[in-house]
Amino acid sequence: MQSTSLVNRSLAFAHEKALSKRKRYDQKSAVYKTRKWRSNRPILTTDQLNELGKLIGMKTIPRSMDLFMNPANLFQLNKPKLNIIHQFLLDRGLEKSRIATSKIKQNLFATRLLDILYPGTSLWRVNEQALKLQRESISEKRKIRPGLAYDQLPTCDIFERLEELVRVDVQQNIQYPYHDNEEEEEGEEEELEDNNKPKQRIVIPTHNLMSFAQERIGTKKKKDTRDIRLHFYLWSSNRICWEPRITEFTIDGKDNQWKDMDQKNVQKYGYKHIDITEKVDWKDILENRSKENDEISIEFDCDVDIKQASICTVWQKTPIELVCHLYVQTAGMYICRLIENVKAQTKIALIQEKAFNIFSKKDDRRTNIHCSRSIFNDCMDIIQREEEGRSMSGSGIGTNSCGDDKDDLLMGDEIVSLEDPILFTRIEFPARGIHCKHVACFDAACFFRCQGLERTWQCPICAFQYKSIQDLCIDHELDQAIAKYPDETKLILRDGQSFTPLEESQTKKKIKMERIYHELD
């Protein structure tokens, strides 16, 4: 009886394990189907991905494709497998320097490979997806302390979460208001309901905030020109962040620091963070609270049992910085589409090597529009040289089409306005959605300036909903035409391929009509 029981339990365990594997496999397949053509597609071809998958232990082609179509899976691989991928890139000239795997951390190693394999991909989104996979992993060795579910927080591309500076456990210290008269009238109780909310006090150590305070005050030389903010989060559990619908927020017993902008971020945009960058007296922290045991006290009205509190550094991007990312992202998308369409292996290797040399340059492409534009133009030069002698609507990729369809070019002449539909200024950075079918574009800087804080964006031309910056791209043909004709307000797209000024096109049309009349006579 005992042996039979052991056999039954082993069979049940094997059945549950098979079901769990099947479930995870289907989930990855769904990710592949929804993201297979996006800009986070790897720079390698399908054959190269299959070969690399076999080297790291993927037995079938679908499993190899599922692994590499989600960049977050790189952060789930161990160092030996990352080393195999790195050696694979070295052998094909996509990586020039060797890495001492014993001295580099696993996350930094995966980040290095991510920059090579997925050019133009948002690192912070991949990191959050990787943290989600790690948190939901069945491996108990990785669950030393469950991570907070930052990936489930409402956010947008204007906020890039960098690192967690402070994470503290909160004790039960809710202070309920005291009432002298228990027989108050019901009407007065409703009016004073918001003022009688219980108060909660959280103590935050300052030793992890010293480096930020030094850069904020200016005592430490600041090399980074980005606008780094501090976001404060309140967690009722590891996966649930409390929405701060509060009316009073004080630090170190000062006056109420809950502003209208804080209320707007919560009620209008639906964010769950509190920006404490301007609320903390950083000069006082540097002068009087620089010791390890010093702390700051945060008090707010809250009737929820808060378990943990955290503070993260967040890069709040300007509209121009978002445009920089859009240029690099579009360049990566075009290069990956070119590699997918080229058949000759010698040409593929040459294109991959050139693309690596472009994207591996050490510059300030994330904040400097000239650097990001240079990367974009260099990639377009590679594509145009490859497209010489071939039809743009045939075997080419169609650089004036950002979508995934190759036959959606509009044939015939079409007038395109260079006036931004949002602010009615001349377009400087022409952009549109990857799913939009119209040729007209809007100015990317104006778009981010007006809709940057919104969690979902909307096309100002066709009202299509954009989920993130991944749904946008730069129109290369129109970008070139805007630089070529700085005084024009309208251009004509001839046969879906090239832009010409309106007057020049009308002149050519008039000459053509006169020639026809002359032949008829």
Side-chain angles (χ1 to χ4, degrees):
M1 293 296 293
Q2 186 176 0
S3 60
T4 305
S5 176
L6 288 174
V7 170
N8 291 336
R9 277 185 288 176
S10 62
L11 291 175
F13 176 76
H15 180 66
E16 292 176 0
K17 189 175 181 180
L19 288 178
S20 63
K21 286 184 177 181
R22 188 184 307 171
K23 183 178 180 180
R24 290 198 302 273
Y25 178 76
D26 292 343
Q27 183 179 2
K28 291 179 181 179
S29 299
V31 173
Y32 168 67
K33 290 178 181 178
T34 57
R35 293 188 174 183
K36 62 179 179 180
W37 70 273
R38 295 289 187 92
S39 59
N40 58 0
R41 177 184 175 86
I43 201 172
L44 303 178
T45 63
T46 303
D47 294 336
Q48 290 174 335
L49 291 178
N50 296 336
E51 181 182 354
L52 185 56
K54 291 180 181 179
L55 293 176
I56 62 176
M58 297 291 108
K59 297 182 179 180
T60 61
I61 295 177
R63 288 184 180 274
S64 299
M65 298 300 295
D66 291 343
L67 175 68
F68 290 106
M69 285 303 164
N70 188 359
N73 289 329
L74 280 179
F75 293 85
Q76 306 302 308
L77 301 178
N78 53 27
K79 272 190 179 182
K81 292 184 178 180
L82 293 177
N83 195 24
I84 293 175
I85 298 176
H86 184 256
Q87 186 61 43
F88 183 87
L89 298 176
L90 281 172
D91 296 339
R92 281 150 184 80
L94 300 181
E95 172 66 296
K96 302 299 183 183
S97 59
R98 296 185 177 273
I99 298 177
T101 57
S102 60
K103 298 181 180 179
I104 190 173
K105 293 183 179 179
Q106 183 176 354
N107 286 341
L108 296 178
F109 200 0
T111 302
R112 173 63 181 169
L113 298 178
L114 177 74
D115 294 336
I116 301 174
L117 291 174
Y118 306 90
T121 302
S122 297
L123 177 61
W124 71 276
R125 286 192 177 274
V126 176
N127 279 332
E128 291 190 350
Q129 180 68 17
L131 290 176
K132 179 181 179 180
L133 295 177
Q134 181 178 352
R135 191 179 65 249
E136 296 177 353
S137 174
I138 61 174
S139 176
E140 296 295 335
K141 296 180 180 180
R142 297 181 179 180
K143 292 188 177 182
I144 301 174
R145 186 183 184 188
L148 298 176
Y150 290 110
D151 56 281
Q152 298 182 4
L153 294 179
T155 185
C156 65
D157 287 279
I158 199 173
F159 299 119
E160 181 171 334
R161 194 173 296 105
L162 300 178
E163 62 176 335
E164 184 182 84
L165 294 183
V166 178
R167 180 179 172 187
V168 295
D169 296 326
V170 179
Q171 299 178 354
Q172 281 282 357
N173 53 3
I174 299 180
Q175 302 174 4
Y176 291 89
Y178 176 75
H179 300 281
D180 292 333
N181 186 11
E182 298 181 356
E183 298 179 356
E184 293 179 333
E185 297 182 359
E186 293 182 359
E188 295 180 356
E189 288 181 357
E190 294 179 357
E191 294 178 358
L192 299 175
E193 183 179 358
D194 293 336
N195 297 328
N196 291 335
K197 284 185 179 180
K199 300 292 181 66
Q200 183 143 357
R201 180 174 174 271
I202 298 178
V203 176
I204 303 294
T206 60
H207 63 275
N208 290 335
L209 303 176
M210 297 305 299
S211 178
F212 180 85
Q214 291 172 359
E215 293 183 357
R216 192 72 184 176
I217 298 299
T219 58
K220 182 179 179 181
K221 188 175 181 180
K222 187 177 181 180
K223 300 180 181 180
D224 199 348
T225 59
R226 299 176 298 177
D227 183 16
I228 306 300
R229 317 289 295 180
L230 284 188
H231 286 184
F232 180 63
Y233 302 93
L234 299 168
W235 302 85
S236 57
S237 69
N238 290 332
R239 300 194 178 190
I240 301 177
C241 184
W242 179 62
E243 184 176 356
R245 292 188 174 272
I246 59 181
T247 57
E248 187 174 352
F249 185 86
T250 59
I251 299 179
D252 294 330
K254 297 181 180 180
D255 296 335
N256 187 14
Q257 296 175 298
W258 187 252
K259 306 299 182 182
D260 293 338
M261 188 60 190
D262 301 321
Q263 194 78 10
K264 185 178 180 180
N265 287 336
V266 176
Q267 293 187 354
K268 181 179 179 180
Y269 300 123
Y271 297 130
K272 296 185 178 182
H273 66 263
I274 303 174
D275 192 338
I276 62 172
T277 311
E278 310 294 342
K279 295 178 171 56
V280 179
D281 190 352
W282 301 110
K283 186 176 181 180
D284 177 63
I285 289 179
L286 286 178
E287 294 177 353
N288 304 321
R289 308 186 192 186
S290 58
K291 297 181 180 180
E292 186 175 354
N293 296 328
D294 290 334
E295 55 194 19
I296 60 175
S297 175
I298 299 178
E299 189 174 349
F300 52 93
D301 52 338
C302 172
D303 55 358
V304 179
D305 184 15
I306 301 298
K307 300 293 185 182
Q308 290 180 332
S310 63
I311 297 178
C312 296
T313 53
V314 177
W315 174 21
Q316 185 168 335
K317 300 179 183 179
T318 63
I320 293 298
E321 290 170 343
L322 287 171
V323 174
C324 292
H325 175 78
L326 185 58
Y327 268 97
V328 178
Q329 172 186 291
T330 308
M333 181 184 70
Y334 280 139
I335 285 293
C336 292
R337 288 173 59 184
L338 175 63
I339 293 174
E340 186 180 3
N341 290 329
V342 173
K343 303 301 181 183
Q345 295 297 325
T346 55
K347 288 186 177 181
I348 291 176
L350 185 61
I351 294 171
Q352 289 174 337
E353 186 175 357
K354 289 181 179 180
F356 169 76
N357 294 332
I358 294 173
F359 286 104
S360 62
K361 294 178 181 178
K362 294 183 178 180
D363 51 25
D364 52 348
R365 69 188 66 175
R366 304 187 74 186
T367 57
N368 192 326
I369 188 63
H370 299 291
C371 294
S372 58
R373 249 182 172 173
S374 176
I375 292 174
F376 179 75
N377 291 329
D378 291 343
C379 290
M380 293 301 109
D381 291 341
I382 296 176
I383 295 173
Q384 287 179 349
R385 285 195 295 267
E386 181 64 28
E387 290 294 321
E388 289 179 357
R390 298 192 300 175
S391 175
M392 297 293 291
S393 61
S395 59
I397 67 169
T399 55
N400 60 340
S401 175
C402 299
D404 55 345
D405 295 328
K406 299 178 183 178
D407 55 350
D408 58 351
L409 298 178
L410 299 176
M411 304 305 294
D413 295 348
E414 182 177 354
I415 298 178
V416 178
S417 175
L418 300 185
E419 186 180 72
D420 177 63
I422 305 175
L423 299 181
F424 303 104
T425 58
R426 194 173 191 274
I427 295 177
E428 186 177 3
F429 312 109
R432 68 170 181 267
I434 56 177
H435 297 294
C436 294
K437 299 300 180 182
H438 50 78
V439 180
C441 295
F442 51 84
D443 190 277
C446 298
F447 178 81
F448 293 133
R449 190 176 296 115
C450 297
Q451 300 191 36
L453 285 174
E454 299 286 347
R455 290 170 53 191
T456 57
W457 299 334
Q458 189 177 36
C459 177
I461 299 175
C462 65
F464 189 87
Q465 294 289 332
Y466 304 141
K467 295 182 179 180
S468 67
I469 199 172
Q470 260 193 331
D471 293 339
L472 299 176
C473 68
I474 296 292
D475 191 315
H476 174 248
E477 296 292 338
L478 189 56
D479 189 45
Q480 295 277 323
I482 289 173
K484 185 177 180 180
Y485 308 108
D487 299 327
E488 298 292 333
T489 58
K490 292 183 180 180
L491 296 175
I492 286 187
L493 178 63
R494 301 187 62 84
D495 297 330
Q497 294 185 8
S498 61
F499 289 93
T500 58
L502 186 61
E503 296 180 358
E504 180 181 342
S505 179
Q506 290 177 349
T507 303
K508 291 182 178 180
K509 186 176 181 180
K510 184 177 180 180
I511 295 174
K512 185 177 180 181
M513 294 299 296
E514 290 178 354
R515 187 180 302 168
I516 293 175
Y517 291 145
H518 180 72
E519 292 177 355
L520 291 176
D521 293 338

